[in-house]
Amino acid sequence: MINKKKIAIILAIVLGVLGILAGTLIYLKKSGVKFNISLPASCSLLNENANIAGKNPASETEEQKKRDEKEYADTNVVNDGKHIPLENAANGKYKRFQKGILSATDTTLTLYDQDGNSEWSEKIQIASPILEVAGEHIIVYEQNGKVLTVYNKNQHKYSKTISGNIKTASISESGDVAVVFEREGYKGSVIVYNKEGQEVYLWNSGKFRIIDADISPSRRLAVTLLNTNNTLEAKIYYFDLAKSGPESTISIDDTVVFDIDFDGDVLNAYCDNKVIATDIKGDIKWNYDFGGRNITRYIMTEKGEKVISFDNHNVSEITMISRTGDEKNTIKTDILPDCLDCYDDRILFNSGRTLVVCNQSGEIVARYTASRDVKSAYLMSSKKIFIVYTTGIEFLDI
């Protein structure tokens, strides 16, 4: 027979214990004590994803949580990768090239496939090399040095010794090379070589300092200059290589145009307070103002979209801008990233030793915490990550 009295006593004891626990938790919470609750990997990823995207996890329905957990359950961990020792890896330069990663150190130019296997390697002797690629073409040079070397894939095309120190150089998908260099008696000079290494153009600036130059696949040359005589003024000159001087000019007040890149026949000009896009004659197509934010890093994707890291009054933001200058989305990160890359709709950035891959809406796809300091990182594809350490490189599968 059931002893109702005993049951009543047990229930009273249980309720009393629960009441004590509840009171204790309320007291601790009011006292400012923080609780460290370990969640399953998929839940932890979901919460991080919600924070980056600016969502409130508590407002999501249980059905949405289940869908998200299912979608991201297998993306929280990046598989162990292939590590390759590489002396002075942090001083090298790296670019995506031919579906792999091209590495330029002071002694070798090497193309790795996505699994970390060397497809080819060429010996070079360039201290602190600078690396640029376009299509099948490669240029390697030492900044403030005088020697520039051009390759077509792994075939050496030519080397040039410039009369003055090289400040910057670029190459087009057609193989034309534009070199900005110092020249006595001028504020800077630009020389253009065709794909065979023949000099086809030379222009000297006697008034304004040359900052950068780029050449389009249709062989239009753009040069950005800075005037600091009486006021801060940036200029962009546009050249037809068949003519001796600039074909057109635009001026941009109160800013510095520190980088220009052709996307087809559209020139993207990166300033300290905006990005503008012009056609090959200087007509402005669009203008994206930073709104008081400080630009820290930027890249242009293969589709012509821009991904820019900003310091917005001590708040770290990453903004995606379309090819036509429209803001697609902005996501917030914990700290200003040291690494920023983009491939297709995937964005890679770091928070210390932790690498985060998300899509352009801010939803996390994968994350990986390295065992050592990350010097730089790149997306080789939507499924592959390439990491540079001080004395080694690593290839990871997402």
Side-chain angles (χ1 to χ4, degrees):
M1 178 178 291
I2 298 174
N3 190 325
K4 294 182 178 179
K5 186 175 181 180
K6 287 184 178 180
I7 292 176
I9 293 172
I10 292 171
L11 286 174
I13 293 172
V14 170
L15 291 173
V17 171
L18 289 176
I20 293 171
L21 287 174
T24 302
L25 289 173
I26 292 171
Y27 172 80
L28 290 174
K29 184 176 181 180
K30 289 182 177 180
S31 300
V33 177
K34 296 183 180 180
F35 301 97
N36 185 10
I37 302 174
S38 297
L39 297 175
S42 58
C43 294
S44 175
L45 180 63
L46 181 63
N47 287 338
E48 288 192 19
N49 172 57
N51 290 335
I52 286 181
K55 300 176 183 176
N56 181 6
S59 68
E60 296 184 355
T61 65
E62 289 302 320
E63 291 78 6
Q64 182 64 48
K65 286 183 179 181
K66 289 178 181 179
R67 287 197 298 270
D68 287 344
E69 287 177 9
K70 181 179 179 181
E71 181 177 356
Y72 293 112
D74 296 327
T75 62
N76 190 30
V77 178
V78 178
N79 297 328
D80 290 338
K82 179 178 181 179
H83 184 270
I84 301 173
L86 184 63
E87 188 177 359
N88 296 323
N91 295 328
K93 294 294 185 292
Y94 307 89
K95 296 282 186 179
R96 279 192 296 271
F97 186 76
Q98 301 282 294
K99 296 183 179 180
I101 199 82
L102 188 63
S103 162
T105 68
D106 54 358
T107 57
T108 57
L109 181 66
T110 305
L111 179 65
Y112 297 96
D113 67 17
Q114 295 194 6
D115 295 319
N117 303 309
S118 174
E119 293 195 353
W120 54 260
S121 185
E122 296 290 323
K123 291 183 178 181
I124 59 175
Q125 291 294 329
I126 302 177
S128 302
I130 305 295
L131 174 67
E132 298 292 342
V133 301
E136 299 180 343
H137 305 285
I138 304 166
I139 54 174
V140 187
Y141 64 96
E142 180 183 357
Q143 190 164 19
N144 294 319
K146 295 185 177 181
V147 178
L148 176 142
T149 304
V150 178
Y151 296 84
N152 183 279
K153 296 182 181 178
N154 62 330
Q155 300 297 315
H156 177 267
K157 295 292 292 183
Y158 62 87
S159 294
K160 293 290 181 180
T161 299
I162 312 299
S163 60
N165 292 341
I166 300 172
K167 307 307 293 181
T168 183
S170 62
I171 191 166
S172 75
E173 293 183 356
S174 302
D176 295 308
V177 174
V179 183
V180 176
F181 65 100
E182 296 176 344
R183 192 174 188 186
E184 188 175 353
Y186 296 96
K187 296 287 188 178
S189 298
V190 180
I191 191 169
V192 177
Y193 299 102
N194 65 15
K195 63 180 181 180
E196 304 301 329
Q198 299 167 328
E199 180 183 326
V200 295
Y201 201 76
L202 175 65
W203 183 76
N204 303 303
S205 176
K207 188 175 182 181
F208 304 127
R209 182 162 64 93
I210 298 178
I211 303 298
D212 193 21
D214 198 25
I215 189 165
S216 75
S218 61
R219 309 195 78 195
R220 293 298 183 115
L221 175 68
V223 178
T224 178
L225 308 97
L226 182 63
N227 175 21
T228 57
N229 291 335
N230 298 312
T231 184
L232 185 65
E233 180 188 24
K235 292 180 176 292
I236 303 177
Y237 288 2
Y238 301 81
F239 296 82
D240 180 343
L241 298 187
K243 299 178 181 179
S244 59
E247 186 177 24
S248 57
T249 303
I250 64 170
S251 297
I252 311 170
D253 294 334
D254 300 322
T255 191
V256 176
V257 180
F258 55 84
D259 187 20
I260 52 176
D261 289 301
F262 272 109
D263 176 21
D265 280 333
V266 174
L267 183 72
N268 296 287
Y270 297 88
C271 313
D272 59 352
N273 58 5
K274 69 184 77 175
V275 179
I276 65 172
T278 76
D279 62 18
I280 56 176
K281 293 190 176 181
D283 294 327
I284 295 178
K285 300 173 69 68
W286 55 261
N287 180 337
Y288 179 82
D289 191 273
F290 295 162
R293 296 175 295 177
N294 294 321
I295 183 172
T296 59
R297 296 181 182 276
Y298 62 99
I299 55 173
M300 184 169 71
T301 73
E302 288 81 357
K303 298 178 181 179
E305 297 177 330
K306 288 81 182 164
V307 180
I308 305 177
S309 170
F310 290 109
D311 179 355
N312 186 5
H313 302 91
N314 296 323
V315 176
S316 176
E317 297 179 346
I318 298 176
T319 297
M320 284 68 70
I321 304 170
S322 73
R323 195 171 193 173
T324 55
D326 299 314
E327 183 174 319
K328 299 179 66 175
N329 192 28
T330 293
I331 60 177
K332 291 180 171 59
T333 62
D334 294 336
I335 61 175
L336 286 171
D338 298 312
C339 308
L340 181 66
D341 198 22
C342 185
Y343 185 92
D344 285 340
D345 67 337
R346 298 284 191 258
I347 297 172
L348 169 69
F349 61 93
N350 77 309
S351 177
R353 291 184 175 183
T354 298
L355 295 173
V356 179
V357 180
C358 66
N359 60 28
Q360 292 193 5
S361 64
E363 296 172 324
I364 291 179
V365 176
R367 58 194 174 95
Y368 173 74
T369 300
S371 60
R372 68 204 82 178
D373 291 341
V374 175
K375 298 303 181 181
S376 57
Y378 306 83
L379 283 167
M380 299 181 68
S381 71
S382 60
K383 298 293 183 181
K384 300 279 188 176
I385 299 176
F386 171 71
I387 306 176
V388 180
Y389 303 110
T390 301
T391 57
I393 56 178
E394 189 171 14
F395 296 79
L396 295 174
D397 294 328
I398 298 176

